Amino acid sequence: MRLKLRNIFLVYFVVSSAGLLYALLQLGQQCDCIHQMNPANNVHRRDNSLRGGAENLPVIYVVTPTYARPHQRAELTRLSQTLLLVPDVHWILVEDSAERTTLVADLLAQSKLQYTHLHVQTPLAMKMKDSDPNWLKPRGVEQRNKALHWLHENRSSRDHGVVYFADDDNTYSIKIFEEMRYTQKVSVWPVGLVGGLRYEGPLVTGGKVVGFHTAWKTHRPFPMDMAGFAVSLSLLLSHPNTQFDPNAERGFLESSLLGSLVTVGELEPKANNCTKVCIST
């Protein structure tokens, strides 16, 4: 018995010593995980000279209007880091400003995203005062239209993609971006915490949109939030005069764009036939 214990101890000592010697020999050697850590191999890193990635996916053009405020950087940072998780995204960030600001320019330069940085100032008559309720006038109309103009000027029918209007103060699941990627005309889904409801969105029967779950101005042609739809790039480019109406009645801004592009019956329900909520305002 004593001999067996001695043999076991001897084997343990030899194995441990061999392991320690191997570890010492590895000190200073090149790590075999460098390929994984190299930013050039990171699938979320973007080359701004490219419109698509290795898989030639349709590009998602994410249009975000933004304006100066104390929490602007925080909200743009959150959105940029969400977009980093999505392949083949081109972020079109449009400032409500007379010129491009250093804050936004620096954030974009550090984001590792493909991006276009634009600016246009909202006319004084359309601007809200600090004392105005946030629903009094629509925000971001001029900025979204500026992005549409850029797309018409810089993209053609040879470019495949989808256009999505993503405000910087919303929360997005990355799943919704893959849902929208192969949009044929206009794809739609529910949005959480809208209009006093837990969610607002299309009602679907047999794979077709037949109505809308909404509690506010139910007579609107497209009673949806801006975050609740995406538009095919080719469809937008084929309608060069389509834009958001800056004079649209409150709540009708989305309808002013969609009404010239599709009918309700042509909408493409996503997110499991509009039963899953992937976005909240």
Side-chain angles (χ1 to χ4, degrees):
M1 183 67 178
R2 186 176 299 173
L3 184 60
K4 281 188 177 181
L5 289 174
R6 182 178 178 182
N7 289 341
I8 291 172
F9 177 78
L10 183 61
V11 170
Y12 176 78
F13 177 78
V14 171
V15 171
S16 300
S17 299
L20 178 60
L21 180 61
Y22 178 79
L24 290 172
L25 289 173
Q26 295 304 306
L27 289 177
Q29 298 297 314
Q30 185 176 17
C31 175
D32 62 0
C33 59
I34 284 179
H35 175 77
Q36 298 173 7
M37 296 173 61
N38 189 338
N41 298 311
N42 187 333
V43 295
H44 305 308
R45 186 175 176 84
R46 304 302 201 264
D47 178 350
N48 290 343
S49 66
L50 301 177
R51 292 185 187 173
E55 299 178 38
N56 198 28
L57 295 172
V59 176
I60 301 175
Y61 294 92
V62 177
V63 175
T64 300
T66 190
Y67 65 99
R69 59 201 190 276
H71 47 284
Q72 180 186 27
R73 177 185 285 276
E75 293 187 327
L76 288 176
T77 297
R78 178 180 60 178
L79 179 54
S80 70
Q81 293 183 356
T82 298
L83 297 180
L84 270 175
L85 302 174
V86 185
D88 295 274
V89 163
H90 186 123
W91 197 13
I92 305 177
L93 195 56
V94 192
E95 292 193 72
D96 186 350
S97 173
E99 58 186 14
R100 290 183 292 185
T101 66
T102 301
L103 182 150
V104 174
D106 288 348
L107 186 144
L108 283 170
Q110 296 169 23
S111 71
K112 300 181 183 179
L113 289 162
Q114 294 182 64
Y115 66 85
T116 296
H117 187 185
L118 305 173
H119 68 94
V120 60
Q121 194 162 32
T122 300
L124 188 60
M126 293 179 60
K127 271 189 175 293
M128 287 198 301
K129 300 175 182 177
D130 292 340
S131 58
D132 291 337
N134 60 10
W135 48 259
L136 186 62
K137 296 176 183 177
R139 279 198 183 112
V141 182
E142 297 294 322
Q143 290 70 40
R144 295 186 188 99
N145 286 339
K146 180 77 171 181
L148 291 176
H149 177 75
W150 185 91
L151 287 166
H152 282 294
E153 292 292 317
N154 293 276
R155 294 295 180 264
S156 70
S157 57
R158 298 188 302 273
D159 298 298
H160 302 290
V162 61
V163 181
Y164 182 51
F165 302 95
D167 290 348
D168 57 8
D169 57 351
N170 293 344
T171 302
Y172 304 89
S173 165
I174 60 172
K175 294 179 182 179
I176 201 61
F177 295 98
E178 295 312 319
E179 292 273 343
M180 71 177 71
R181 191 178 295 278
Y182 293 97
T183 297
Q184 298 299 306
K185 289 188 175 181
V186 175
S187 54
V188 293
W189 45 81
V191 178
L193 308 178
V194 178
L197 299 174
R198 291 180 61 189
Y199 74 93
E200 183 180 78
L203 300 172
V204 178
T205 299
K208 292 287 186 180
V209 176
V210 296
F212 297 89
H213 175 66
T214 185
W216 183 70
K217 291 192 176 183
T218 58
H219 63 286
R220 290 175 290 161
F222 296 88
M224 295 187 295
D225 186 82
M226 191 70 66
F229 65 90
V231 183
S232 162
L233 176 64
S234 60
L235 180 64
L236 274 176
L237 296 180
S238 67
H239 292 73
N241 296 320
T242 294
Q243 63 175 9
F244 293 98
D245 182 2
N247 299 310
E249 180 186 344
R250 180 186 168 210
F252 282 76
L253 188 62
E254 295 83 356
S255 297
S256 72
L257 178 84
L258 295 175
S260 62
L261 297 175
V262 287
T263 64
V264 170
E266 293 176 304
L267 296 175
E268 303 157 42
K270 302 293 184 180
N272 196 22
N273 276 328
C274 295
T275 61
K276 303 294 184 182
V277 177
C278 298
I279 304 163
S280 64
T281 61

